[in-house]
Amino acid sequence: MYTNTTRLALGLAAASLIAVGGCSASPRVIEPIVWPPPPEQERIRLVDLYVDASDAGSGTAWYDQAWTWLTGTDGDWAPGAMRQPSALVESNGVLYVTDPVLGIVQGYDKTKQDHYVGAPAEDRPMAEPIGIAAGSDGRIYITDARAKTIYTYTADLQYIGPFQTDFVFKQPTGIWFDRQHGCFYVVDTADHQFAALQPDGRLKWKVGGRGDGDGQFNFPTFLCQRGEWIYVVDSLNHRVQIFDTDGKFITKFGQAGRALGSFSMPKGIGVDSKGHIYVSDAGFNNVQIFRLTPEKKAQLLLYVGSGGVDQGEFSMPTGLFVGGDDRIYIADSYNKRVQVLQYLGGKP
C-alpha cells in the first residue's frame, strides 16, 4: 500500500513531465453575476473560476489518471484540484494557491497553459501551508504554520529552501512582500503580533501582544499593504487594524455583530487602486467592501456573495488578494475553488 508521501512523490514527478501541448478542457462557463444587481449600475463582476488544472488550460488524459491515483480518489477529483484553498497571490500571470489539507502550493499559469505543484521535497508535503507572497525576485514565499517556518520556491514552484531568519515564529500565517520598502510583513497568529523582516531575515520591527487595544491583537490572520499603509485582519477582535510602514498605528474599524459592516470571522483582506478595502468573512460567507473617509472612518459600500455552492456564493472564504488590475481573487475554501471578481470602476 502506498503512503500519502509516496503518492505525493510520484505525483509531483508525474506533474513535472506534463507537456503544455496536452489536451486541455473546454473553458469553464462563467455565469453573468454582478453586484449590485440590476437595475443599479454594476460595480463588481464575477469573471473567472479556478477549480482544477483545466482552468489553466492544462491537463492530459494520462495525467488525470495519475492525479486520481495520487490523491487516492475514485476518479471524482480532477488533476490540480484544491482540497481547502487558504491563501493566494497572483504574480506575472500565475495564480498561486496554498492548500493546508494537501500540504502543497499550486500554480495555475493561463499564459503557458501549465500547472505547477510545490512541496519541500518529493516525499514530504508541507505540514500546514497557510500564507503566500510573491517577492520582487520572482520567488514565492509560503508560511507553514505548523512547521513554524517560511519556505521559498521558484516561480514554477521548484523548492529552494527555508527563508533564513533568527526571528522565532509560533504560528506564521499571513505574509506580504512590500516591494516599495523591500521587506516582508508576517503575521504570527499564536503570538498575536506581526513583524517586518528584512530580505536577509533580520527583524526590522514588530507590533502586537494579546489584547483589544490599539496595536494589540487576538489571533490575527492575513494582511496586505498598499502605499504607506498595512492592513491587518484582527480576526477574533472582529476588526481590521491599519498601520503605517514603520508599524505605527493609524486607525481601526469593525466590531462583532450580525449587521452589515460588522464582522463574524474576518479572514482575508485586499485594497484596490481606488483605496477600497475588501474583507472576506468566513462566518458571513461574503466579502464586504469599505472605504475610509477623510476622518479615517470606515464606510461600508457594498457586500458581495452569500452562503452557498453556486457561482458568486461562498463557503468559508479565507484568503483574498487584489491584483494590479483590480481583480479580486478569493479562496472559497469549503467550495474547493478560487473565485475571481473584477472591480469595474466607480463607487461600489
Side-chain angles (χ1 to χ4, degrees):
M1 180 177 294
Y2 292 101
T3 65
N4 288 338
T5 53
T6 301
R7 290 181 186 275
L8 177 65
L10 295 174
L12 290 175
S16 67
L17 297 175
I18 296 172
V20 173
C23 300
S24 59
S26 300
R28 195 175 301 277
V29 176
I30 307 299
E31 297 178 13
I33 301 173
V34 297
W35 296 270
E40 296 186 58
Q41 182 177 353
E42 62 185 64
R43 302 299 186 185
I44 304 288
R45 179 186 298 156
L46 177 69
V47 294
D48 210 350
L49 290 172
Y50 288 81
V51 178
D52 54 50
S54 69
D55 295 302
S58 176
T60 65
W62 67 265
Y63 179 39
D64 290 355
Q65 297 173 0
W67 188 272
T68 299
W69 176 84
L70 161 67
T71 57
T73 61
D74 295 322
D76 60 345
W77 199 39
M82 309 171 200
R83 281 294 196 191
Q84 189 177 311
S86 172
L88 61 182
V89 68
E90 187 276 332
S91 179
N92 297 319
V94 183
L95 177 65
Y96 300 94
V97 185
T98 58
D99 194 315
V101 172
L102 292 177
I104 60 176
V105 56
Q106 301 191 73
Y108 303 86
D109 188 338
K110 287 197 171 186
T111 302
K112 296 181 179 178
Q113 294 189 333
D114 211 346
H115 169 247
Y116 316 123
V117 182
E122 290 185 351
D123 62 345
R124 181 168 57 90
M126 288 177 278
E128 191 179 9
I130 299 293
I132 186 167
S136 58
D137 55 4
R139 295 180 175 183
I140 303 300
Y141 298 83
I142 312 289
T143 58
D144 190 320
R146 200 181 311 166
K148 305 178 182 180
T149 193
I150 300 172
Y151 293 117
T152 309
Y153 294 84
T154 64
D156 60 354
L157 296 183
Q158 300 300 305
Y159 180 62
I160 296 173
F163 177 72
Q164 299 299 320
T165 179
D166 292 331
F167 189 75
V168 178
F169 297 108
K170 286 187 178 180
Q171 188 185 14
T173 51
I175 184 172
W176 184 274
F177 181 71
D178 181 343
R179 294 171 181 261
Q180 181 178 350
H181 299 93
C183 63
F184 294 92
Y185 305 119
V186 186
V187 171
D188 192 324
T189 297
D191 221 7
H192 311 284
Q193 65 178 358
F194 79 107
L197 301 178
Q198 302 281 16
D200 61 5
R202 288 182 295 124
L203 176 67
K204 189 175 181 181
W205 48 258
K206 63 179 180 179
V207 174
R210 191 170 191 180
D212 58 7
D214 295 346
Q216 295 181 315
F217 298 98
N218 191 13
F219 294 98
T221 49
F222 294 111
L223 81 171
C224 74
Q225 170 256 338
R226 188 100 188 187
E228 295 297 318
W229 285 5
I230 306 165
Y231 303 74
V232 186
V233 179
D234 188 7
S235 292
L236 293 193
N237 277 329
H238 309 283
R239 65 185 182 181
V240 171
Q241 295 198 66
I242 303 174
F243 301 82
D244 68 16
T245 51
D246 291 321
K248 178 184 176 182
F249 175 81
I250 299 295
T251 190
K252 63 189 176 186
F253 67 90
Q255 64 283 319
R258 300 303 300 175
L260 290 173
S262 302
F263 295 120
S264 173
M265 195 185 303
K267 291 284 188 178
I269 191 164
V271 181
D272 70 19
S273 62
K274 301 299 183 182
H276 304 128
I277 306 167
Y278 301 77
V279 184
S280 60
D281 195 306
F284 286 157
N285 289 315
N286 68 10
V287 175
Q288 297 189 78
I289 308 171
F290 300 84
R291 75 175 182 95
L292 291 182
T293 68
E295 297 75 31
K296 298 183 177 65
K297 302 295 183 182
Q299 176 186 16
L300 177 67
L301 301 176
L302 181 68
Y303 77 94
V304 170
S306 59
V309 300
D310 293 335
Q311 294 184 21
E313 298 178 334
F314 300 97
S315 182
M316 197 70 70
T318 53
L320 185 151
F321 177 80
V322 178
D325 55 358
D326 285 341
R327 284 204 165 191
I328 305 107
Y329 300 82
I330 304 157
D332 188 7
S333 291
Y334 281 16
N335 282 330
K336 304 177 183 180
R337 65 189 178 187
V338 170
Q339 299 202 62
V340 186
L341 313 179
Q342 179 69 59
Y343 169 60
L344 303 174
K347 180 180 176 181

